Amino acid sequence: MSAKKQMVRRINNHAVEVSLPSKLGYERIAMDCSASFAKMAGFTPQRIEDLKTAVAEACLNAIEHGNKNHPDTRVLVTMNFKDDRFSVSVKDGGNGISRLPRDRTVMRRIENLEPPKGLGIYLIKQLMDEVEFNKMTKDGHSVKMVIKLKN
Amino acid sequence: MTQANEIQMEQLGAVTLLDIRGDITILSESFLNDAYEDANNQGAGKILLKFQEDAYINSGGISVLIQLLAKTEQNAQQIGIIGLSDHFTKIFNMVGITKFAKIYKTREDALEAMS
């Protein structure tokens, strides 16, 4: 519990930041934090589940592909709720996604019962109202997702 | 952080139930594969996968399930799923898993349909 407290920081009345070690499983801290914040903002249980899955998948990509599971690196998740928009930014130290998988390719692989590369990205796009991949910053790469209260 | 899976096998008439405890992630691969191999070696023709309703399932876990479904297709086995939350029922429909495995609301519904 104390470790969890150190990972979460309040930025202002509308925003919190979660800093995760690049280790599989820690995405659940960001998931739980986003769920609590979205509940306070008035989202329905169904939309909170959508948000949790999208946040988890973005963090998993950041941990595995962005930071290459390097234990000394962090994934920064910033959540902001303002004007009925809940936005989540997930930052890692990587170079971004060189080629975004096409939805059609992901679905074709599943239809052929092959491991679907890019399934996390597919799920994020399906579940969120807005998504921006490959936002490059001086410190690395971020994904920004938005879920709207009134959809 | 992610718990290991505990999987119990139970024979319910013609249906082999795999009761899966824990989250479904990439770390579930060996647990699910071992349980499936046990069921397959015992000649299972109809397999019912039971998940915990509060289980966390991510894309890594879905990939593991898809690889499991590939084996059941090769072996012409019928697959059912129970215990999913409404959210993961939606996700499984969204990604097309339901083309290969039918989701049932209850164990009774599944056994009646699969027997």
Side-chain angles (χ1 to χ4, degrees), chain A residues 24-29 31 49-50 53 56-57 60 107 110-111 113-116 119-120 122-123 126-127, chain B residues 1-2 23 26 56-59 62-63 66-67 69-70 73 87-88 90-91 94-97 99-100:
Chain A
L24 288 181
Y26 277 86
E27 75 279 4
R28 300 189 62 163
I29 305 278
M31 265 176 72
E49 289 302 314
D50 291 347
T53 291
E57 294 301 331
L60 285 170
M107 294 311 288
I110 293 173
E111 279 164 18
L113 290 171
E114 296 165 351
L119 180 58
Y122 174 80
L123 289 174
Q126 295 297 314
L127 297 170
Chain B
M1 285 290 286
T2 306
D23 299 331
I26 194 73
Y56 161 54
I57 304 175
N58 65 25
S59 57
I62 292 172
S63 287
I66 287 167
Q67 290 170 75
L69 290 174
E73 281 283 300
H87 176 67
F88 284 110
K90 178 175 84 175
I91 297 284
M94 191 181 277
V95 301
I97 281 185
K99 288 177 188 160
F100 304 98

mmCIF file of all heavy atoms in Angstrom, chain A residues 24-29 31 49-50 53 56-57 60 107 110-111 113-116 119-120 122-123 126-127, chain B residues 1-2 23 26 56-59 62-63 66-67 69-70 73 87-88 90-91 94-97 99-100:
data_model
loop_
_atom_site.group_PDB
_atom_site.id
_atom_site.type_symbol
_atom_site.label_atom_id
_atom_site.label_comp_id
_atom_site.label_asym_id
_atom_site.label_seq_id
_atom_site.Cartn_x
_atom_site.Cartn_y
_atom_site.Cartn_z
ATOM 1 N N LEU A 24 5.887 -6.087 -15.843
ATOM 2 C CA LEU A 24 4.539 -6.588 -16.113
ATOM 3 C C LEU A 24 3.798 -6.819 -14.807
ATOM 4 O O LEU A 24 4.359 -7.358 -13.856
ATOM 5 C CB LEU A 24 4.602 -7.901 -16.902
ATOM 6 C CG LEU A 24 5.021 -7.793 -18.365
ATOM 7 C CD1 LEU A 24 5.021 -9.163 -19.017
ATOM 8 C CD2 LEU A 24 4.140 -6.833 -19.134
ATOM 9 N N GLY A 25 2.544 -6.430 -14.782
ATOM 10 C CA GLY A 25 1.737 -6.557 -13.580
ATOM 11 C C GLY A 25 1.470 -5.198 -12.950
ATOM 12 O O GLY A 25 0.397 -4.977 -12.384
ATOM 13 N N TYR A 26 2.437 -4.273 -13.081
ATOM 14 C CA TYR A 26 2.252 -2.950 -12.471
ATOM 15 C C TYR A 26 1.228 -2.104 -13.219
ATOM 16 O O TYR A 26 0.770 -1.089 -12.714
ATOM 17 C CB TYR A 26 3.599 -2.219 -12.343
ATOM 18 C CG TYR A 26 4.348 -2.655 -11.104
ATOM 19 C CD1 TYR A 26 5.166 -3.768 -11.123
ATOM 20 C CD2 TYR A 26 4.190 -1.974 -9.901
ATOM 21 C CE1 TYR A 26 5.827 -4.190 -9.984
ATOM 22 C CE2 TYR A 26 4.847 -2.387 -8.764
ATOM 23 C CZ TYR A 26 5.669 -3.496 -8.799
ATOM 24 O OH TYR A 26 6.303 -3.920 -7.664
ATOM 25 N N GLU A 27 0.858 -2.538 -14.432
ATOM 26 C CA GLU A 27 -0.195 -1.811 -15.150
ATOM 27 C C GLU A 27 -1.491 -1.784 -14.333
ATOM 28 O O GLU A 27 -2.338 -0.911 -14.511
ATOM 29 C CB GLU A 27 -0.424 -2.420 -16.546
ATOM 30 C CG GLU A 27 -1.168 -3.749 -16.615
ATOM 31 C CD GLU A 27 -0.279 -4.971 -16.330
ATOM 32 O OE1 GLU A 27 0.910 -4.782 -16.007
ATOM 33 O OE2 GLU A 27 -0.788 -6.100 -16.456
ATOM 34 N N ARG A 28 -1.624 -2.745 -13.428
ATOM 35 C CA ARG A 28 -2.857 -2.816 -12.635
ATOM 36 C C ARG A 28 -2.978 -1.640 -11.672
ATOM 37 O O ARG A 28 -4.080 -1.262 -11.285
ATOM 38 C CB ARG A 28 -2.914 -4.143 -11.888
ATOM 39 C CG ARG A 28 -2.904 -5.314 -12.860
ATOM 40 C CD ARG A 28 -3.179 -6.595 -12.175
ATOM 41 N NE ARG A 28 -4.506 -6.567 -11.574
ATOM 42 C CZ ARG A 28 -5.151 -7.647 -11.193
ATOM 43 N NH1 ARG A 28 -4.609 -8.820 -11.358
ATOM 44 N NH2 ARG A 28 -6.337 -7.567 -10.655
ATOM 45 N N ILE A 29 -1.860 -1.064 -11.273
ATOM 46 C CA ILE A 29 -1.916 0.124 -10.403
ATOM 47 C C ILE A 29 -2.580 1.275 -11.170
ATOM 48 O O ILE A 29 -3.460 1.960 -10.650
ATOM 49 C CB ILE A 29 -0.487 0.556 -9.972
ATOM 50 C CG1 ILE A 29 0.260 -0.603 -9.312
ATOM 51 C CG2 ILE A 29 -0.522 1.816 -9.112
ATOM 52 C CD1 ILE A 29 -0.026 -0.835 -7.873
ATOM 53 N N MET A 31 -4.506 0.969 -13.797
ATOM 54 C CA MET A 31 -5.908 0.564 -14.035
ATOM 55 C C MET A 31 -6.794 0.946 -12.863
ATOM 56 O O MET A 31 -7.852 1.549 -13.029
ATOM 57 C CB MET A 31 -5.967 -0.969 -14.123
ATOM 58 C CG MET A 31 -5.916 -1.569 -15.463
ATOM 59 S SD MET A 31 -5.884 -3.385 -15.264
ATOM 60 C CE MET A 31 -7.538 -3.734 -14.750
ATOM 61 N N GLU A 49 -14.971 0.035 -17.069
ATOM 62 C CA GLU A 49 -14.310 -1.212 -17.491
ATOM 63 C C GLU A 49 -13.581 -1.007 -18.828
ATOM 64 O O GLU A 49 -12.482 -1.511 -19.030
ATOM 65 C CB GLU A 49 -15.343 -2.351 -17.617
ATOM 66 C CG GLU A 49 -15.882 -2.848 -16.286
ATOM 67 C CD GLU A 49 -14.783 -3.353 -15.349
ATOM 68 O OE1 GLU A 49 -13.900 -4.100 -15.803
ATOM 69 O OE2 GLU A 49 -14.822 -2.987 -14.161
ATOM 70 N N ASP A 50 -14.229 -0.260 -19.741
ATOM 71 C CA ASP A 50 -13.575 0.051 -21.026
ATOM 72 C C ASP A 50 -12.263 0.810 -20.778
ATOM 73 O O ASP A 50 -11.223 0.504 -21.370
ATOM 74 C CB ASP A 50 -14.486 0.920 -21.914
ATOM 75 C CG ASP A 50 -15.708 0.164 -22.417
ATOM 76 O OD1 ASP A 50 -15.740 -1.079 -22.307
ATOM 77 O OD2 ASP A 50 -16.636 0.833 -22.924
ATOM 78 N N THR A 53 -9.429 -1.391 -19.302
ATOM 79 C CA THR A 53 -8.775 -2.243 -20.303
ATOM 80 C C THR A 53 -7.839 -1.409 -21.186
ATOM 81 O O THR A 53 -6.700 -1.810 -21.452
ATOM 82 C CB THR A 53 -9.824 -2.986 -21.166
ATOM 83 O OG1 THR A 53 -10.482 -3.948 -20.334
ATOM 84 C CG2 THR A 53 -9.192 -3.710 -22.340
ATOM 85 N N ALA A 56 -4.734 -0.383 -19.204
ATOM 86 C CA ALA A 56 -3.850 -1.545 -19.011
ATOM 87 C C ALA A 56 -3.078 -1.855 -20.290
ATOM 88 O O ALA A 56 -1.863 -2.091 -20.258
ATOM 89 C CB ALA A 56 -4.668 -2.765 -18.587
ATOM 90 N N GLU A 57 -3.761 -1.834 -21.430
ATOM 91 C CA GLU A 57 -3.100 -2.190 -22.698
ATOM 92 C C GLU A 57 -2.051 -1.141 -23.092
ATOM 93 O O GLU A 57 -0.975 -1.494 -23.593
ATOM 94 C CB GLU A 57 -4.137 -2.361 -23.810
ATOM 95 C CG GLU A 57 -5.075 -3.550 -23.609
ATOM 96 C CD GLU A 57 -4.360 -4.896 -23.508
ATOM 97 O OE1 GLU A 57 -3.271 -5.043 -24.099
ATOM 98 O OE2 GLU A 57 -4.871 -5.788 -22.804
ATOM 99 N N LEU A 60 0.892 -1.775 -20.827
ATOM 100 C CA LEU A 60 1.614 -2.990 -21.227
ATOM 101 C C LEU A 60 2.518 -2.714 -22.429
ATOM 102 O O LEU A 60 3.673 -3.152 -22.471
ATOM 103 C CB LEU A 60 0.613 -4.114 -21.595
ATOM 104 C CG LEU A 60 -0.080 -4.798 -20.422
ATOM 105 C CD1 LEU A 60 -1.203 -5.705 -20.934
ATOM 106 C CD2 LEU A 60 0.908 -5.618 -19.613
ATOM 107 N N MET A 107 -7.524 -8.720 -37.010
ATOM 108 C CA MET A 107 -8.697 -9.597 -37.059
ATOM 109 C C MET A 107 -8.444 -10.825 -37.936
ATOM 110 O O MET A 107 -8.918 -11.924 -37.635
ATOM 111 C CB MET A 107 -9.931 -8.821 -37.550
ATOM 112 C CG MET A 107 -10.394 -7.739 -36.598
ATOM 113 S SD MET A 107 -10.563 -8.289 -34.882
ATOM 114 C CE MET A 107 -12.008 -9.315 -34.980
ATOM 115 N N ILE A 110 -6.582 -13.390 -35.989
ATOM 116 C CA ILE A 110 -7.447 -14.100 -35.034
ATOM 117 C C ILE A 110 -8.313 -15.117 -35.781
ATOM 118 O O ILE A 110 -8.488 -16.255 -35.331
ATOM 119 C CB ILE A 110 -8.319 -13.101 -34.238
ATOM 120 C CG1 ILE A 110 -7.420 -12.261 -33.323
ATOM 121 C CG2 ILE A 110 -9.366 -13.841 -33.404
ATOM 122 C CD1 ILE A 110 -8.119 -11.128 -32.606
ATOM 123 N N GLU A 111 -8.835 -14.706 -36.933
ATOM 124 C CA GLU A 111 -9.663 -15.649 -37.718
ATOM 125 C C GLU A 111 -8.870 -16.886 -38.121
ATOM 126 O O GLU A 111 -9.415 -17.975 -38.248
ATOM 127 C CB GLU A 111 -10.214 -14.942 -38.961
ATOM 128 C CG GLU A 111 -11.439 -14.098 -38.636
ATOM 129 C CD GLU A 111 -11.767 -13.109 -39.727
ATOM 130 O OE1 GLU A 111 -11.289 -13.291 -40.864
ATOM 131 O OE2 GLU A 111 -12.491 -12.142 -39.427
ATOM 132 N N LEU A 113 -6.575 -18.060 -36.217
ATOM 133 C CA LEU A 113 -6.132 -18.579 -34.914
ATOM 134 C C LEU A 113 -4.608 -18.492 -34.753
ATOM 135 O O LEU A 113 -3.963 -19.415 -34.263
ATOM 136 C CB LEU A 113 -6.643 -20.008 -34.693
ATOM 137 C CG LEU A 113 -8.161 -20.100 -34.463
ATOM 138 C CD1 LEU A 113 -8.628 -21.550 -34.460
ATOM 139 C CD2 LEU A 113 -8.561 -19.419 -33.160
ATOM 140 N N GLU A 114 -4.073 -17.347 -35.188
ATOM 141 C CA GLU A 114 -2.651 -17.063 -34.996
ATOM 142 C C GLU A 114 -2.526 -15.984 -33.921
ATOM 143 O O GLU A 114 -3.422 -15.147 -33.771
ATOM 144 C CB GLU A 114 -2.030 -16.532 -36.296
ATOM 145 C CG GLU A 114 -2.048 -17.546 -37.417
ATOM 146 C CD GLU A 114 -1.777 -16.913 -38.775
ATOM 147 O OE1 GLU A 114 -1.751 -15.668 -38.872
ATOM 148 O OE2 GLU A 114 -1.613 -17.671 -39.736
ATOM 149 N N PRO A 115 -1.408 -15.969 -33.170
ATOM 150 C CA PRO A 115 -1.241 -14.916 -32.153
ATOM 151 C C PRO A 115 -1.347 -13.528 -32.797
ATOM 152 O O PRO A 115 -0.609 -13.228 -33.735
ATOM 153 C CB PRO A 115 0.170 -15.158 -31.608
ATOM 154 C CG PRO A 115 0.492 -16.563 -31.963
ATOM 155 C CD PRO A 115 -0.260 -16.879 -33.222
ATOM 156 N N PRO A 116 -2.296 -12.706 -32.330
ATOM 157 C CA PRO A 116 -2.529 -11.421 -32.994
ATOM 158 C C PRO A 116 -1.631 -10.310 -32.465
ATOM 159 O O PRO A 116 -1.894 -9.747 -31.410
ATOM 160 C CB PRO A 116 -3.990 -11.145 -32.656
ATOM 161 C CG PRO A 116 -4.208 -11.846 -31.354
ATOM 162 C CD PRO A 116 -3.218 -12.956 -31.242
ATOM 163 N N LEU A 119 -2.894 -6.543 -30.780
ATOM 164 C CA LEU A 119 -4.244 -6.672 -30.218
ATOM 165 C C LEU A 119 -4.527 -5.576 -29.191
ATOM 166 O O LEU A 119 -5.642 -5.058 -29.125
ATOM 167 C CB LEU A 119 -4.405 -8.065 -29.576
ATOM 168 C CG LEU A 119 -5.757 -8.367 -28.947
ATOM 169 C CD1 LEU A 119 -6.879 -8.229 -29.976
ATOM 170 C CD2 LEU A 119 -5.775 -9.772 -28.348
ATOM 171 N N GLY A 120 -3.508 -5.206 -28.395
ATOM 172 C CA GLY A 120 -3.696 -4.152 -27.400
ATOM 173 C C GLY A 120 -4.096 -2.834 -28.054
ATOM 174 O O GLY A 120 -5.016 -2.154 -27.585
ATOM 175 N N TYR A 122 -5.494 -2.474 -30.966
ATOM 176 C CA TYR A 122 -6.840 -2.673 -31.511
ATOM 177 C C TYR A 122 -7.891 -2.430 -30.420
ATOM 178 O O TYR A 122 -8.884 -1.728 -30.643
ATOM 179 C CB TYR A 122 -6.958 -4.103 -32.074
ATOM 180 C CG TYR A 122 -8.344 -4.456 -32.528
ATOM 181 C CD1 TYR A 122 -8.820 -4.027 -33.765
ATOM 182 C CD2 TYR A 122 -9.193 -5.220 -31.725
ATOM 183 C CE1 TYR A 122 -10.101 -4.340 -34.185
ATOM 184 C CE2 TYR A 122 -10.467 -5.541 -32.134
ATOM 185 C CZ TYR A 122 -10.921 -5.107 -33.362
ATOM 186 O OH TYR A 122 -12.190 -5.413 -33.774
ATOM 187 N N LEU A 123 -7.669 -3.005 -29.243
ATOM 188 C CA LEU A 123 -8.633 -2.855 -28.150
ATOM 189 C C LEU A 123 -8.750 -1.395 -27.716
ATOM 190 O O LEU A 123 -9.850 -0.891 -27.489
ATOM 191 C CB LEU A 123 -8.225 -3.727 -26.952
ATOM 192 C CG LEU A 123 -8.375 -5.234 -27.138
ATOM 193 C CD1 LEU A 123 -7.796 -5.985 -25.939
ATOM 194 C CD2 LEU A 123 -9.837 -5.623 -27.347
ATOM 195 N N GLN A 126 -10.858 0.479 -30.136
ATOM 196 C CA GLN A 126 -12.271 0.095 -30.069
ATOM 197 C C GLN A 126 -12.972 0.682 -28.838
ATOM 198 O O GLN A 126 -14.156 0.994 -28.893
ATOM 199 C CB GLN A 126 -12.398 -1.439 -30.008
ATOM 200 C CG GLN A 126 -11.924 -2.170 -31.248
ATOM 201 C CD GLN A 126 -12.741 -1.827 -32.476
ATOM 202 O OE1 GLN A 126 -13.968 -1.799 -32.437
ATOM 203 N NE2 GLN A 126 -12.071 -1.532 -33.566
ATOM 204 N N LEU A 127 -12.228 0.811 -27.746
ATOM 205 C CA LEU A 127 -12.870 1.142 -26.473
ATOM 206 C C LEU A 127 -12.875 2.629 -26.138
ATOM 207 O O LEU A 127 -13.705 3.083 -25.361
ATOM 208 C CB LEU A 127 -12.182 0.370 -25.328
ATOM 209 C CG LEU A 127 -12.296 -1.158 -25.412
ATOM 210 C CD1 LEU A 127 -11.397 -1.824 -24.382
ATOM 211 C CD2 LEU A 127 -13.739 -1.606 -25.224
ATOM 212 N N MET B 1 3.526 -9.522 -9.273
ATOM 213 C CA MET B 1 2.234 -8.822 -9.242
ATOM 214 C C MET B 1 1.100 -9.705 -9.741
ATOM 215 O O MET B 1 0.029 -9.715 -9.176
ATOM 216 C CB MET B 1 2.295 -7.574 -10.126
ATOM 217 C CG MET B 1 3.051 -6.414 -9.552
ATOM 218 S SD MET B 1 2.225 -5.664 -8.168
ATOM 219 C CE MET B 1 0.892 -4.795 -8.999
ATOM 220 N N THR B 2 1.325 -10.428 -10.841
ATOM 221 C CA THR B 2 0.238 -11.227 -11.396
ATOM 222 C C THR B 2 0.274 -12.622 -10.805
ATOM 223 O O THR B 2 1.311 -13.264 -10.798
ATOM 224 C CB THR B 2 0.359 -11.296 -12.923
ATOM 225 O OG1 THR B 2 0.422 -9.973 -13.418
ATOM 226 C CG2 THR B 2 -0.835 -11.992 -13.530
ATOM 227 N N ASP B 23 -5.878 -14.570 -12.864
ATOM 228 C CA ASP B 23 -5.904 -13.681 -14.027
ATOM 229 C C ASP B 23 -5.404 -14.404 -15.273
ATOM 230 O O ASP B 23 -4.629 -15.363 -15.175
ATOM 231 C CB ASP B 23 -5.027 -12.456 -13.755
ATOM 232 C CG ASP B 23 -5.528 -11.661 -12.564
ATOM 233 O OD1 ASP B 23 -6.745 -11.692 -12.319
ATOM 234 O OD2 ASP B 23 -4.703 -11.020 -11.888
ATOM 235 N N ILE B 26 -0.187 -13.290 -20.257
ATOM 236 C CA ILE B 26 0.826 -14.094 -20.949
ATOM 237 C C ILE B 26 1.435 -15.125 -19.992
ATOM 238 O O ILE B 26 1.888 -16.193 -20.416
ATOM 239 C CB ILE B 26 1.913 -13.172 -21.575
ATOM 240 C CG1 ILE B 26 2.775 -13.925 -22.570
ATOM 241 C CG2 ILE B 26 2.764 -12.497 -20.519
ATOM 242 C CD1 ILE B 26 2.097 -14.260 -23.870
ATOM 243 N N TYR B 56 -8.754 -10.579 -14.178
ATOM 244 C CA TYR B 56 -8.198 -9.579 -15.105
ATOM 245 C C TYR B 56 -7.702 -10.344 -16.334
ATOM 246 O O TYR B 56 -6.936 -11.301 -16.214
ATOM 247 C CB TYR B 56 -7.051 -8.855 -14.389
ATOM 248 C CG TYR B 56 -6.054 -8.119 -15.252
ATOM 249 C CD1 TYR B 56 -6.457 -7.168 -16.186
ATOM 250 C CD2 TYR B 56 -4.684 -8.353 -15.111
ATOM 251 C CE1 TYR B 56 -5.526 -6.481 -16.958
ATOM 252 C CE2 TYR B 56 -3.751 -7.668 -15.863
ATOM 253 C CZ TYR B 56 -4.176 -6.735 -16.787
ATOM 254 O OH TYR B 56 -3.257 -6.058 -17.545
ATOM 255 N N ILE B 57 -8.190 -9.957 -17.494
ATOM 256 C CA ILE B 57 -7.772 -10.612 -18.740
ATOM 257 C C ILE B 57 -7.195 -9.522 -19.638
ATOM 258 O O ILE B 57 -7.847 -8.506 -19.875
ATOM 259 C CB ILE B 57 -8.961 -11.302 -19.441
ATOM 260 C CG1 ILE B 57 -9.644 -12.298 -18.479
ATOM 261 C CG2 ILE B 57 -8.500 -12.018 -20.719
ATOM 262 C CD1 ILE B 57 -10.904 -12.951 -19.039
ATOM 263 N N ASN B 58 -5.981 -9.723 -20.124
ATOM 264 C CA ASN B 58 -5.411 -8.709 -21.020
ATOM 265 C C ASN B 58 -5.082 -9.321 -22.387
ATOM 266 O O ASN B 58 -5.356 -10.511 -22.637
ATOM 267 C CB ASN B 58 -4.208 -8.002 -20.374
ATOM 268 C CG ASN B 58 -3.029 -8.920 -20.117
ATOM 269 O OD1 ASN B 58 -2.878 -9.948 -20.793
ATOM 270 N ND2 ASN B 58 -2.192 -8.566 -19.169
ATOM 271 N N SER B 59 -4.514 -8.489 -23.258
ATOM 272 C CA SER B 59 -4.280 -8.950 -24.637
ATOM 273 C C SER B 59 -3.333 -10.156 -24.672
ATOM 274 O O SER B 59 -3.475 -11.035 -25.530
ATOM 275 C CB SER B 59 -3.720 -7.805 -25.483
ATOM 276 O OG SER B 59 -2.529 -7.308 -24.904
ATOM 277 N N ILE B 62 -5.454 -13.092 -23.944
ATOM 278 C CA ILE B 62 -6.308 -13.408 -25.089
ATOM 279 C C ILE B 62 -5.483 -14.140 -26.159
ATOM 280 O O ILE B 62 -5.961 -15.096 -26.778
ATOM 281 C CB ILE B 62 -6.967 -12.119 -25.644
ATOM 282 C CG1 ILE B 62 -7.978 -11.586 -24.621
ATOM 283 C CG2 ILE B 62 -7.652 -12.381 -26.980
ATOM 284 C CD1 ILE B 62 -8.561 -10.222 -24.958
ATOM 285 N N SER B 63 -4.242 -13.720 -26.357
ATOM 286 C CA SER B 63 -3.367 -14.407 -27.319
ATOM 287 C C SER B 63 -3.152 -15.866 -26.910
ATOM 288 O O SER B 63 -3.151 -16.761 -27.759
ATOM 289 C CB SER B 63 -2.005 -13.722 -27.401
ATOM 290 O OG SER B 63 -2.125 -12.521 -28.086
ATOM 291 N N ILE B 66 -6.222 -17.764 -27.758
ATOM 292 C CA ILE B 66 -6.345 -17.988 -29.206
ATOM 293 C C ILE B 66 -5.466 -19.177 -29.633
ATOM 294 O O ILE B 66 -5.881 -20.014 -30.440
ATOM 295 C CB ILE B 66 -6.008 -16.693 -29.976
ATOM 296 C CG1 ILE B 66 -7.169 -15.704 -29.804
ATOM 297 C CG2 ILE B 66 -5.744 -16.975 -31.455
ATOM 298 C CD1 ILE B 66 -6.863 -14.298 -30.232
ATOM 299 N N GLN B 67 -4.283 -19.255 -29.054
ATOM 300 C CA GLN B 67 -3.409 -20.399 -29.374
ATOM 301 C C GLN B 67 -3.998 -21.713 -28.858
ATOM 302 O O GLN B 67 -3.861 -22.754 -29.490
ATOM 303 C CB GLN B 67 -2.024 -20.154 -28.804
ATOM 304 C CG GLN B 67 -1.296 -19.039 -29.550
ATOM 305 C CD GLN B 67 -0.016 -18.629 -28.851
ATOM 306 O OE1 GLN B 67 0.981 -19.344 -28.900
ATOM 307 N NE2 GLN B 67 -0.043 -17.494 -28.196
ATOM 308 N N LEU B 69 -7.239 -22.233 -28.616
ATOM 309 C CA LEU B 69 -8.349 -22.528 -29.533
ATOM 310 C C LEU B 69 -7.841 -23.129 -30.838
ATOM 311 O O LEU B 69 -8.529 -23.946 -31.457
ATOM 312 C CB LEU B 69 -9.158 -21.248 -29.803
ATOM 313 C CG LEU B 69 -9.977 -20.728 -28.608
ATOM 314 C CD1 LEU B 69 -10.613 -19.391 -28.944
ATOM 315 C CD2 LEU B 69 -11.044 -21.740 -28.206
ATOM 316 N N ALA B 70 -6.637 -22.726 -31.243
ATOM 317 C CA ALA B 70 -6.056 -23.319 -32.459
ATOM 318 C C ALA B 70 -5.865 -24.821 -32.260
ATOM 319 O O ALA B 70 -6.120 -25.622 -33.168
ATOM 320 C CB ALA B 70 -4.722 -22.650 -32.782
ATOM 321 N N GLU B 73 -9.255 -26.579 -32.323
ATOM 322 C CA GLU B 73 -9.743 -26.687 -33.706
ATOM 323 C C GLU B 73 -9.062 -27.853 -34.413
ATOM 324 O O GLU B 73 -9.706 -28.642 -35.107
ATOM 325 C CB GLU B 73 -9.460 -25.382 -34.467
ATOM 326 C CG GLU B 73 -10.430 -24.259 -34.183
ATOM 327 C CD GLU B 73 -11.756 -24.416 -34.896
ATOM 328 O OE1 GLU B 73 -11.770 -24.469 -36.133
ATOM 329 O OE2 GLU B 73 -12.782 -24.495 -34.188
ATOM 330 N N HIS B 87 -18.175 -7.271 -19.315
ATOM 331 C CA HIS B 87 -17.139 -6.549 -20.057
ATOM 332 C C HIS B 87 -16.314 -7.512 -20.907
ATOM 333 O O HIS B 87 -16.094 -7.259 -22.101
ATOM 334 C CB HIS B 87 -16.233 -5.796 -19.080
ATOM 335 C CG HIS B 87 -15.079 -5.104 -19.734
ATOM 336 N ND1 HIS B 87 -15.233 -4.037 -20.593
ATOM 337 C CD2 HIS B 87 -13.735 -5.344 -19.674
ATOM 338 C CE1 HIS B 87 -14.049 -3.647 -21.022
ATOM 339 N NE2 HIS B 87 -13.125 -4.421 -20.484
ATOM 340 N N PHE B 88 -15.867 -8.611 -20.313
ATOM 341 C CA PHE B 88 -15.022 -9.513 -21.099
ATOM 342 C C PHE B 88 -15.837 -10.342 -22.100
ATOM 343 O O PHE B 88 -15.293 -10.784 -23.112
ATOM 344 C CB PHE B 88 -14.127 -10.362 -20.187
ATOM 345 C CG PHE B 88 -12.978 -9.548 -19.663
ATOM 346 C CD1 PHE B 88 -12.916 -9.177 -18.331
ATOM 347 C CD2 PHE B 88 -11.992 -9.078 -20.521
ATOM 348 C CE1 PHE B 88 -11.877 -8.379 -17.858
ATOM 349 C CE2 PHE B 88 -10.963 -8.273 -20.063
ATOM 350 C CZ PHE B 88 -10.897 -7.933 -18.731
ATOM 351 N N LYS B 90 -18.094 -8.865 -23.839
ATOM 352 C CA LYS B 90 -18.049 -7.878 -24.940
ATOM 353 C C LYS B 90 -16.701 -7.936 -25.658
ATOM 354 O O LYS B 90 -16.655 -7.950 -26.897
ATOM 355 C CB LYS B 90 -18.281 -6.473 -24.364
ATOM 356 C CG LYS B 90 -18.221 -5.364 -25.394
ATOM 357 C CD LYS B 90 -18.586 -4.014 -24.803
ATOM 358 C CE LYS B 90 -17.417 -3.331 -24.137
ATOM 359 N NZ LYS B 90 -17.735 -1.974 -23.663
ATOM 360 N N ILE B 91 -15.620 -7.997 -24.890
ATOM 361 C CA ILE B 91 -14.277 -8.035 -25.495
ATOM 362 C C ILE B 91 -14.107 -9.303 -26.340
ATOM 363 O O ILE B 91 -13.586 -9.249 -27.467
ATOM 364 C CB ILE B 91 -13.184 -8.000 -24.394
ATOM 365 C CG1 ILE B 91 -13.248 -6.692 -23.604
ATOM 366 C CG2 ILE B 91 -11.789 -8.230 -24.983
ATOM 367 C CD1 ILE B 91 -12.698 -5.475 -24.274
ATOM 368 N N MET B 94 -15.881 -8.848 -29.431
ATOM 369 C CA MET B 94 -15.203 -7.814 -30.228
ATOM 370 C C MET B 94 -14.020 -8.398 -31.010
ATOM 371 O O MET B 94 -13.788 -8.036 -32.154
ATOM 372 C CB MET B 94 -14.711 -6.734 -29.257
ATOM 373 C CG MET B 94 -14.229 -5.470 -29.852
ATOM 374 S SD MET B 94 -13.663 -4.380 -28.494
ATOM 375 C CE MET B 94 -15.196 -3.667 -27.976
ATOM 376 N N VAL B 95 -13.276 -9.291 -30.380
ATOM 377 C CA VAL B 95 -12.074 -9.813 -31.046
ATOM 378 C C VAL B 95 -12.355 -11.098 -31.834
ATOM 379 O O VAL B 95 -11.462 -11.610 -32.506
ATOM 380 C CB VAL B 95 -10.900 -10.040 -30.064
ATOM 381 C CG1 VAL B 95 -10.534 -8.754 -29.363
ATOM 382 C CG2 VAL B 95 -11.199 -11.124 -29.055
ATOM 383 N N GLY B 96 -13.577 -11.601 -31.733
ATOM 384 C CA GLY B 96 -13.938 -12.744 -32.582
ATOM 385 C C GLY B 96 -13.679 -14.113 -31.981
ATOM 386 O O GLY B 96 -13.784 -15.121 -32.685
ATOM 387 N N ILE B 97 -13.373 -14.159 -30.694
ATOM 388 C CA ILE B 97 -13.171 -15.466 -30.048
ATOM 389 C C ILE B 97 -14.455 -16.286 -30.100
ATOM 390 O O ILE B 97 -14.425 -17.515 -30.165
ATOM 391 C CB ILE B 97 -12.696 -15.261 -28.580
ATOM 392 C CG1 ILE B 97 -11.194 -14.936 -28.581
ATOM 393 C CG2 ILE B 97 -12.965 -16.482 -27.712
ATOM 394 C CD1 ILE B 97 -10.570 -14.817 -27.219
ATOM 395 N N LYS B 99 -16.327 -16.837 -32.407
ATOM 396 C CA LYS B 99 -16.488 -17.646 -33.626
ATOM 397 C C LYS B 99 -16.018 -19.075 -33.377
ATOM 398 O O LYS B 99 -16.346 -19.995 -34.112
ATOM 399 C CB LYS B 99 -15.672 -17.046 -34.776
ATOM 400 C CG LYS B 99 -16.276 -15.770 -35.312
ATOM 401 C CD LYS B 99 -15.384 -15.192 -36.395
ATOM 402 C CE LYS B 99 -15.894 -13.816 -36.798
ATOM 403 N NZ LYS B 99 -14.885 -13.024 -37.461
ATOM 404 N N PHE B 100 -15.189 -19.241 -32.364
ATOM 405 C CA PHE B 100 -14.583 -20.551 -32.107
ATOM 406 C C PHE B 100 -15.037 -21.170 -30.787
ATOM 407 O O PHE B 100 -14.871 -22.371 -30.583
ATOM 408 C CB PHE B 100 -13.051 -20.417 -32.087
ATOM 409 C CG PHE B 100 -12.515 -19.808 -33.343
ATOM 410 C CD1 PHE B 100 -12.198 -18.464 -33.400
ATOM 411 C CD2 PHE B 100 -12.373 -20.577 -34.489
ATOM 412 C CE1 PHE B 100 -11.722 -17.894 -34.574
ATOM 413 C CE2 PHE B 100 -11.899 -20.016 -35.662
ATOM 414 C CZ PHE B 100 -11.573 -18.662 -35.711
#
